[in-house]
Amino acid sequence: MGAGDFESRWLAPDVNAVWTRFLQVTHRLEHQIDRRLQERHGITHTQYEILVRLADAEDRSMRMSDLADSIVTAKSAVTYQVNKLSELGLVERFKCDKDNRGVWVKLTDPGLERLEQAAPCILSLVRELFLDAINCDQAAELDKLLGTWSDNLDEHDRHPIGDGPGEAGA
């Protein structure tokens, strides 16, 4: 792969193959984790992530908009997932005392219990499906690549590129 491959409007076949493989692997990994969590603990991976964020938050509570930002998803998607978790009694929603527009979500005791029951499943899956397949050097290289992508995304968050094809942005 040459640098010129990344400049053209269409991806070169070898670059496209890398991108496609990345998407397939990440989607398959997510699907495996999601399926196993649903079978064994009755929650999705996204719901698990919500429970984790709430467990780590002060008073096990977060404003809905902050929760959406923390799991990098749309507010409407978080609302849907929180509604499902609320139906299961794992979280509860409440209005903010200081701001009537603000909606908060709190992890309940049964929610914390479910999280604690599901955590070993997640850890096992991370090892089985992800870490056991690579050695320490590969893990270090992957960490370096993820850092590069993360930095690039941070830069694009600060200076978004244009929406049209081929626009380089300001």
Side-chain angles (χ1 to χ4, degrees), residues 145-164:
L145 287 169
L146 291 169
T148 299
W149 285 324
S150 182
D151 292 346
N152 188 49
L153 289 168
D154 289 346
E155 181 62 25
H156 284 281
D157 285 344
R158 287 188 293 278
H159 306 286
I161 59 174
D163 293 330

Side-chain angles (χ1 to χ4, degrees), residues 4 7 38 45 59 66 78 89 100 140 161 168:
E7 301 289 328
Q38 285 181 13
H45 191 209
D59 295 326
D66 294 336
V78 169
N100 285 337
I161 59 174

Side-chain angles (χ1 to χ4, degrees), residues 48 118-129 131:
Y48 176 85
C121 179
I122 285 283
L123 296 174
S124 173
L125 286 168
V126 167
R127 286 186 188 99
E128 177 186 340
L129 301 175
L131 295 174

Side-chain angles (χ1 to χ4, degrees), residues 104-125:
W104 286 69
V105 61
K106 180 177 180 67
L107 182 66
T108 62
D109 290 339
L112 184 59
E113 245 179 74
R114 181 79 59 98
L115 174 62
E116 290 170 348
Q117 292 166 354
C121 179
I122 285 283
L123 296 174
S124 173
L125 286 168

Side-chain angles (χ1 to χ4, degrees), residues 50 64 67-69 71 73-83:
I50 289 170
M64 289 283 282
L67 182 57
D69 290 344
I71 62 169
T73 194
K75 290 177 182 118
S76 60
V78 169
T79 298
Y80 174 80
Q81 296 298 340
V82 165
N83 287 343

